[in-house]
């Protein structure tokens, strides 16, 4: 096979600014995205190469936003690049050997031929809809559902996390309410003068709502900007059940009960409206449904929310007044909202807070997409590849379409929980071919109840993966694996905030090549040409050209210019609702059906959801499931981000592993005492869905009655073969998270509100951990029933916390 290396060859025509010689090394200035996994912040690196090998990586002080600052994952890049366990050649294995470490290196031609043979057979016998492309979070190839739509020609692209509990809910809700991609805080990333730019204003208040960007830099937000802004006077409010590092420096911590964010946001609206603290002019001119919203939130006075959220009512008054009186103020919207089954409503209420206080699209407030400058156009180009050409009958076959039209219609992806049902039951039709791209879902990452996914995937006729490492998922379930290049091995761009918001665009300049690993887009093209040539022949020949087309339409610069300059800031304009830049037709107002921000959502109404925000109890809490709480009294949050790991990635890299060698669960000292658990003890955590083991970290940052468990754990140093699969079942916290507990729109899951009990693990427990993980504790079968699901039960008394 001929690689399209011309497009990714080093170029020396551009000169010093992006590449120069120093100390006998060639230094390349570049930005990163993924792999190693990260969201598209595009931090700046200087990569020192000698004799074709990376010898050193440093932060690039010339990068206008990150200014030389880097997290540990980038500082350990060299160890990632040359780690002996990385996959840098295609590999194959007989289907009968799934779970056995019997991989054989093969050529690209052979790997593609195997995939094509299976593709053709399945297409012929069952149709393309019986194929699914699964993807995890935020990588370069995560371009809409291109893998499914354009490479396989199937409608079923799937992000397999129950209730699409990340980003998708946020984007979908905002598209409907505001007519834009979700509004990130304005941290001056797009302004050439940065924080000192005359167009910018430092926010007086920043609310970090279920978000801790300092560790997560999520979705294109450079986390350290929070510190920069605090140094320039911004004050922090954290809405978080735990006191985090930034929380210890905040002026207010609202330590609400997990999953009650909608009640809190509604009560803050209640205060702001009843005390007349809102921006009347903005509301009158630009909001739709204010009266109805005011009526609705009148039902949620702070005293009532205080009972639901288990926080003092005064804190709610204080948070509301501080936020509404600050000019400007911003809210950083975290994944805790997406992960809540009530998150659509919490999100709706948070958008209403941003809007009625006049903070939408103002300097230092929230930034919105400039549709006329083409950000929207670029996003549209990216999201829609392959979809417009698809036959209507195939689009109609998308899994979960009838039940969840808002989810499947907006995201053009199959609904995650129904996708698992289809794999398990063969209904509405059987699945015969899966592509596991960028997800390690049987590790506690992109799935709830991973054992169910494991069993279901192992029955599929053919599975292949595209990854940078061998993982438990690939080892357990796949037949072919194709190797992907890392950030330092490719030439492409990183559009911050997924190209959605006006910010900056960074270049990934190729530094080295490892084995036969290819950049993700190149891989799409190779596969696409083999499997679905009509969609690829006579089209863009590479990622560069793909982005060239999108960027030419979107921006006033092209790909080459980005590569030369390494980073281009977009320049930002504000209050675009007054200038017609929020709508593709250039009319004033917002890009919604009413032209205004829809505090009352006609679309929610059309799909059978309440058009206004409302509160309901999460599916497994002491309030919604009091019987369950008798045996499982603790509320478990999971997945608060660790700086050294990206979900399940990084455990092989010594420098990163040293920072956090074992899976940890945080316990309050009182709970630890009650159970005779000491710092570092292995803790047995269980509920009717499963059992797993993590080590105790005893800390007062978490309230009594709650625990916070890490996700993502497996042990790459342990036995690879099934059933052990690198110890993936031992600390698999997602085993305890039940499926299908989403809200009406199909979003959310109890990742941060599950009931459990804990005890000190016995020696026998630890010996039997694999068996428990696979079969349930003490041989009791895992409970997969829906007995505890009562979202609509009106008799629930939220005051019972
Ligand atoms: N309990 C619990 N579970 C959670 C969460 C939680 O808070 N609590 N958070 C959830 C959230 S928000 C998310 S988004 C999911 C994430 O879930 P995943 O995205 O599935 O997580 P990863 O473990 O990072 O798995 C990604 C795989 O992609 C590979 N990879 C890295 N870079 C690239 C690339 O550029 N291309 C390709 N093809 N592969 C690449 C990695 O090596 C890794 O094997 O986890 C979810 N799981
Ligand atoms: N280093 C690193 N960075 C990452 C990732 C990673 O795995 N590692 N994952 C990436 C991904 S896919 C995502 S989605 C982002 C997520 O990044 P963020 O949105 O910043 O979210 P988290 O760090 O998961 O959680 C933030 C906080 O939410 C709190 N919390 C828990 N439950 C609740 C609740 O019910 N309500 C409220 N208000 N707060 C709650 C937790 O205590 C935690 O401190 O990070 C991305 N960045
Ligand atoms: Mo995520």
């Amino acid at each position: 096979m001929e690689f399209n290396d011309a497009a990714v060859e080093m170029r020396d025509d551009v000169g010093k600014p992006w590449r120069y010689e120093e100390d006998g090394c060639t230094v390349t200035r570049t930005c990163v995205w993924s792999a190693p996994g990260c969201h598209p912040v595009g931090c700046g690196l200087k990569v020192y190469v000698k004799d074709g090998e990376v010898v050193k990586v440093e932060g690039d002080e010339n990068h206008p936003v990150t200014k030389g600052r880097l997290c540990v994952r980038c500082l350990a890049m060299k160890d990632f690049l040359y780690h002996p366990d990385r996959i840098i050649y295609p590999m194959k294995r007989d289907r009968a050997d799934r779970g056995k470490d019997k991989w054989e290196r093969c050529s690209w031609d052979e790997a593609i031929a195997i995939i094509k043979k299976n593709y053709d057979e399945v297409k012929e016998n069952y149709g393309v809809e019986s194929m699914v492309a699964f993807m995890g979070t935020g990588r370069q190839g995560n371009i809409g559902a291109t893998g499914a739509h354009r490479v396989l020609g199937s409608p079923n692209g799937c992000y397999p996390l129950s209730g699409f509990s990340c980003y998708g809910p946020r984007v979908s809700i905002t598209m409907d309410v505001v007519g834009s991609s979700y509004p990130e805080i304005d941290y001056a990333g797009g302004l050439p003068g940065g924080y000192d730019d005359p167009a910018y204003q430092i926010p007086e208040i920043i609310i970090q709502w279920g978000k801790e960007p300092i560790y997560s830099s999520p979705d294109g937000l450079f986390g350290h900007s929070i510190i920069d802004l605090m140094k320039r006077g911004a004050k922090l409010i954290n809405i978080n059940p735990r006191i985090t590092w930034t929380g210890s420096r905040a002026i207010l911590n609202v330590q609400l009960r997990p999953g009650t964010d909608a009640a809190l946001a509604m009560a803050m609206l209640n205060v702001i409206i009843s005390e007349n603290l809102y921006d009347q002019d903005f509301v009158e001119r630009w909001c739709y449904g204010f009266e109805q919203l005011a009526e609705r939130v009148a039902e949620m006075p702070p005293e009532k929310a205080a009972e639901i959220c288990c926080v003092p009512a005064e804190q709610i008054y204080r948070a509301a007044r501080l936020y509404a009186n600050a000019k400007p103020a911003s809210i950083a919207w975290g994944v805790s909202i997406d992960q809540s089954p009530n998150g659509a409503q919490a999100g709706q209420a948070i958008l209403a807070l941003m809007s009625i206080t006049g903070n939408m699209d103002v300097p230092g407030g929230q930034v919105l997409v400039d549709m006329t400058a083409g950000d929207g156009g670029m996003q549209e180009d990216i999201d829609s590849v392959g979809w417009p050409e698809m036959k209507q009958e195939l689009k109609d076959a998308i899994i979960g379409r009838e039940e969840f039209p808002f989810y499947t219609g907006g995201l053009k992806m199959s609904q995650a929980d129904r996708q698992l049902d289809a794999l398990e039951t063969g209904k509405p039709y059987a699945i015969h071919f899966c592509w596991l791209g960028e997800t390690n879902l049987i590790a506690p990452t992109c799935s709830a109840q991973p054992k169910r996914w494991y069993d279901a995937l192992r029955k599929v006729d053919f599975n292949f993966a595209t990854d940078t490492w061998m993982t438990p998922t690939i080892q357990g379930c796949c037949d072919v694996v194709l190797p992907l290049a890392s950030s330092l091995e490719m030439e492409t761009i990183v559009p911050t905030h997924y190209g959605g918001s006006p910010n900056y665009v960074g270049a990934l300049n190729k530094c080295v090549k490892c084995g036969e690993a290819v950049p993700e887009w190149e891989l799409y093209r190779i596969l696409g040409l083999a499997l679905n040539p009509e969609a690829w022949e006579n089209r863009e020949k590479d990622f560069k050209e793909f982005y060239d087309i999108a960027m030419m339409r979107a921006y006033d610069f092209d790909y080459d210019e980005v590569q030369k300059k390494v980073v281009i800031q977009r320049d930002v304009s504000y209050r675009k609702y007054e200038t017609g830049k929020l709508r593709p037709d250039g009319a004033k107002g917002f890009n919604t059906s009413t032209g205004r921000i829809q505090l009352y959502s006609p679309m929610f109404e059309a799909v059978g959801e309440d058009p206004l925000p409302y509160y309901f109890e999460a599916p497994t809490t002491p309030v919604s499931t009091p019987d369950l709480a008798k045996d499982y009294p603790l509320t478990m949050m999971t997945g608060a981000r660790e700086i050294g790991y990206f979900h399940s990635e990084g455990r092989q890299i010594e420098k990163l592993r040293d920072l956090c060698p074992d899976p940890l669960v945080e316990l309050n000292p009182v709970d630890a005492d009650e159970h005779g658990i000491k710092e570092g003890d292995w803790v047995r955590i269980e509920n009717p869905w499963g059992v797993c083991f993590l080590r105790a970290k005893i800390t007062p940052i978490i309230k009594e009655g709650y625990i916070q468990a890490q996700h993502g754990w497996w042990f790459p140093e342990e036995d690879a073969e099934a059933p052990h699969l690198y110890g993936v079942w031992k600390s698999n916290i997602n085993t305890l998270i039940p499926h299908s507990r989403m809200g009406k729109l199909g979003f959310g899951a109890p990742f941060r509100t599950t009931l459990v009990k804990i005890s000190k693990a016995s020696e026998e427990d630890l010996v039997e951990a694999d068996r428990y993980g696979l079969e349930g504790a003490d041989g009791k079968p895992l409970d997969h029933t829906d007995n505890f699901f009562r979202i609509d039960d009106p008799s629930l008394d939220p005051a019972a916390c």
Side-chain angles (χ1 to χ4, degrees):
M1 170 144 330
E2 285 284 303
F3 294 123
N4 183 23
D5 243 14
V8 291
E9 272 303 298
M10 288 188 190
R11 297 165 314 155
D12 49 15
D13 57 332
V14 192
K16 270 200 163 206
W18 71 282
R19 173 165 293 155
Y20 54 92
E21 300 295 320
E22 191 181 292
D23 295 340
C25 292
T26 301
V27 185
T28 305
R29 290 180 50 218
T30 185
C31 300
V32 286
W33 183 355
S34 183
C38 197
H39 282 172
V41 181
C43 296
L45 295 189
K46 289 190 302 189
V47 182
Y48 293 71
V49 175
K50 197 172 192 171
D51 303 328
E53 275 207 18
V54 172
V55 291
K56 187 168 71 169
V57 166
E58 284 183 346
D60 180 4
E61 68 281 7
N62 305 300
H63 189 294
V65 176
T66 62
K67 294 194 171 142
R69 295 165 293 185
L70 280 186
C71 85
V72 285
R73 303 198 306 284
C74 267
L75 291 173
M77 187 74 94
K78 199 180 125 199
D79 304 62
F80 174 98
L81 215 57
Y82 301 122
H83 197 288
D85 293 355
R86 242 194 89 183
I87 297 179
I88 51 173
Y89 299 102
M91 302 212 285
K92 62 169 187 176
R93 179 175 66 181
D94 275 353
R95 188 185 182 285
D97 288 331
R98 283 182 186 171
K100 296 192 187 131
D101 201 6
K102 289 201 171 175
W103 292 97
E104 258 180 76
R105 180 176 160 184
C106 64
S107 68
W108 269 91
D109 285 335
E110 188 182 359
I112 298 294
I114 297 171
I115 296 170
K116 182 169 166 53
K117 177 172 170 285
N118 283 280
Y119 177 89
D120 289 344
E121 277 173 20
V122 170
K123 185 174 177 182
E124 169 83 21
N125 293 331
Y126 310 104
V128 278
E129 66 273 28
S130 70
M131 309 188 195
V132 190
F134 290 104
M135 55 184 233
T137 187
R139 278 85 192 203
Q140 184 205 120
N142 184 333
I143 308 169
T146 311
H149 300 165
R150 195 169 166 198
V151 179
L152 302 182
S154 165
N156 292 318
C158 183
Y159 171 83
L161 189 64
S162 178
F164 209 125
S165 295
C166 176
Y167 201 72
R170 207 181 311 182
V171 173
S172 319
I173 298 154
T174 314
M175 271 323 275
D176 178 50
V177 174
V178 186
S180 171
S181 188
Y182 99 94
E184 190 47 272
I185 65 168
D186 179 16
Y187 63 99
L191 294 170
Y195 308 114
D196 301 320
D197 199 290
Y200 188 65
Q201 257 183 288
I202 304 288
E204 291 181 6
I205 291 283
I206 301 171
I207 300 186
Q208 297 193 128
W209 201 312
K211 185 160 178 161
E212 184 70 351
I214 211 83
Y215 300 128
S216 59
S217 285
D219 311 311
L221 164 63
F222 176 53
H224 213 82
S225 65
I226 302 284
I227 311 276
D228 294 344
L229 290 168
M230 286 174 81
K231 285 184 180 163
R232 287 163 177 78
K235 301 274 186 285
L236 270 193
I237 297 177
N238 270 12
I239 297 179
N240 191 323
R242 296 158 63 240
I243 307 276
T244 62
W245 187 87
T246 53
S248 70
R249 288 141 178 92
I251 57 167
L252 176 62
N253 281 283
V254 183
Q255 275 185 277
L256 81 179
R257 184 166 66 98
T260 60
D261 301 84
L264 179 71
M266 287 172 72
M268 286 172 66
L269 285 165
N270 174 304
V271 176
I272 291 168
I273 294 172
S274 58
E275 297 185 2
N276 254 325
L277 302 178
Y278 61 97
D279 183 333
Q280 293 183 4
D281 182 54
F282 185 85
V283 166
E284 234 161 73
R285 292 179 62 196
W286 303 115
C287 294
Y288 170 81
F290 178 74
E291 294 306 320
Q292 292 98 319
L293 176 77
E295 241 171 71
R296 174 60 59 88
V297 299
E299 297 166 15
M300 186 62 79
E303 290 69 23
K304 180 172 170 190
E307 286 195 341
I308 295 172
C309 306
C310 301
V311 296
E314 305 80 70
Q315 281 195 356
I316 304 179
Y317 283 103
R318 183 151 179 250
R321 289 170 187 155
L322 279 167
Y323 174 68
N325 287 325
K327 296 281 175 278
S330 58
I331 300 179
W333 173 343
V335 78
S336 305
I337 308 299
D338 301 66
Q339 293 194 349
S340 160
N342 190 202
Q345 290 70 32
Q348 231 184 333
I350 289 171
L351 289 170
L353 281 168
M354 297 167 177
S355 306
I356 71 165
T357 53
N359 281 307
M360 206 59 103
D361 214 29
V362 300
Q366 316 289 148
V367 270
L368 293 180
V369 175
D370 183 337
M371 296 301 276
T372 55
D375 298 330
M378 179 163 163
Q379 192 63 41
E380 238 163 65
D381 271 358
I382 293 172
D383 283 348
S384 64
V385 232
W387 182 258
E389 299 86 7
M390 197 179 289
K391 285 198 193 111
Q392 191 58 41
E393 69 210 54
L394 271 181
K395 290 182 184 172
D396 291 346
I398 198 164
I399 302 268
R401 183 171 177 275
E402 268 174 35
E403 200 181 349
F404 301 111
F406 185 78
Y407 178 135
T408 52
L411 295 163
K412 305 184 188 79
M413 294 174 79
S414 60
Q415 205 279 342
D417 301 77
R418 293 298 167 259
Q419 187 68 67
L420 175 63
D421 294 344
L423 276 164
E424 286 180 335
T425 64
K427 292 186 183 128
Y429 46 83
I431 302 299
H432 294 278
F433 178 108
C434 294
W435 172 4
L436 291 146
E438 56 187 63
T439 176
N440 180 8
L441 86 177
I442 74 159
T445 60
C446 224
S447 66
Q449 294 182 305
K451 172 67 169 33
R452 287 175 64 182
W453 285 94
Y454 175 63
D455 289 343
L457 282 169
R458 279 169 71 92
K459 288 191 206 125
V460 172
D461 307 3
F462 180 77
N463 298 316
F464 77 100
T466 48
D467 209 306
T468 45
W469 297 87
M470 180 54 65
T471 66
T473 308
I474 300 173
Q475 191 65 262
C477 307
C478 293
D479 309 316
V480 169
V481 50
L482 303 174
L484 287 177
S486 75
S487 286
L488 303 193
E489 299 156 70
M490 62 174 103
E491 213 172 38
T492 179
I493 67 159
V494 44
T496 56
H497 207 150
Y498 297 115
S501 276
N503 220 321
Y504 56 95
V505 175
L508 275 72
N509 288 317
K510 188 182 174 191
C511 306
V512 286
K513 186 163 172 52
C514 295
E516 293 179 359
V518 304
E520 193 142 34
W521 183 256
E522 180 62 11
L523 177 123
Y524 275 38
R525 202 184 64 96
I526 295 170
L527 270 177
L529 280 169
L531 306 183
N532 189 16
E534 318 79 86
W536 293 83
E537 274 163 3
N538 308 317
R539 301 275 292 267
E540 325 88 41
K541 67 176 182 306
D542 54 31
F543 198 53
K544 172 181 178 308
E545 203 169 295
F546 171 76
Y547 259 130
D548 245 355
I549 294 167
M551 280 196 306
M552 291 287 226
R553 190 156 354 146
Y555 305 123
D556 48 4
F557 48 81
D558 65 10
Y559 188 89
D560 278 340
E561 198 179 341
V562 186
Q563 294 240 297
K564 214 180 330 178
K565 293 187 172 157
V566 188
V567 182
I568 296 187
Q569 285 171 296
R570 291 275 345 284
D571 218 347
V572 174
S573 69
Y574 296 103
R575 295 191 175 83
K576 296 185 283 290
Y577 45 87
E578 286 174 348
T579 57
K581 287 184 169 182
L582 291 180
R583 294 173 59 99
D585 62 8
K588 283 187 186 178
F590 291 82
N591 192 23
T592 60
S593 54
T594 58
R596 293 165 182 239
I597 292 179
Q598 308 190 135
L599 303 173
Y600 177 106
S601 163
M603 172 71 98
F604 279 20
E605 195 166 37
V607 296
E609 179 55 285
D610 191 327
L612 292 162
Y614 64 101
Y615 175 71
F616 66 83
E617 270 290 315
T620 46
T621 74
V623 179
S624 56
T625 52
D627 292 346
L628 188 66
K630 279 185 205 139
D631 295 329
Y632 304 96
L634 297 175
T635 295
M636 178 172 75
M637 293 171 266
T638 63
R641 302 314 189 227
E642 290 295 314
I643 192 76
Y645 299 131
F646 197 81
H647 301 289
S648 73
E649 293 186 49
R651 308 293 184 296
Q652 305 92 334
I653 296 171
E654 237 176 87
K655 284 179 188 144
L656 302 179
R657 188 71 177 270
D658 278 351
L659 296 173
C660 183
D662 297 307
L664 296 179
V665 53
E666 290 174 0
L667 313 171
N668 182 278
V670 174
D671 291 321
D673 257 10
E674 189 184 318
H675 294 92
I677 293 169
K678 304 239 165 353
E679 182 78 12
D681 280 350
W682 282 97
V683 181
R684 172 177 166 136
I685 310 177
E686 68 185 299
N687 71 10
W689 292 280
V691 58
C692 74
F693 302 91
L694 286 80
R695 296 187 93 148
K697 177 177 170 189
I698 301 172
T699 164
I701 74 162
I702 191 154
K703 287 208 258 184
E704 216 181 307
Y706 303 140
I707 67 172
Q708 142 63 35
Q710 290 183 346
H711 76 307
W713 274 93
W714 57 293
F715 305 88
E717 67 279 10
E718 293 188 11
D719 179 11
E721 296 207 329
H724 190 72
L725 293 174
Y726 307 98
V728 73
W729 308 111
K730 175 179 176 182
S731 303
N732 201 318
I733 201 71
N734 288 5
T735 304
L736 282 72
I737 313 285
H739 247 267
S740 287
R741 267 63 178 174
M742 52 274 187
K744 275 191 196 156
L745 296 177
F747 293 135
F751 285 101
R752 298 189 172 188
T753 52
T754 301
L755 291 172
V756 298
K757 70 177 178 189
I758 57 168
S759 55
K760 187 174 162 181
S762 65
E763 272 173 32
E764 193 207 334
D765 272 348
L766 296 174
V767 173
E768 297 290 327
D770 273 358
R771 191 169 60 77
Y772 289 177
L774 286 161
E775 296 168 12
D778 310 326
K780 271 188 258 155
L782 299 173
D783 187 339
H784 290 167
T785 61
D786 279 352
N787 292 343
F788 306 108
F789 189 39
R790 307 202 318 189
I791 271 184
D792 287 329
D793 185 341
S795 68
L796 300 179
D797 172 12
C801 64

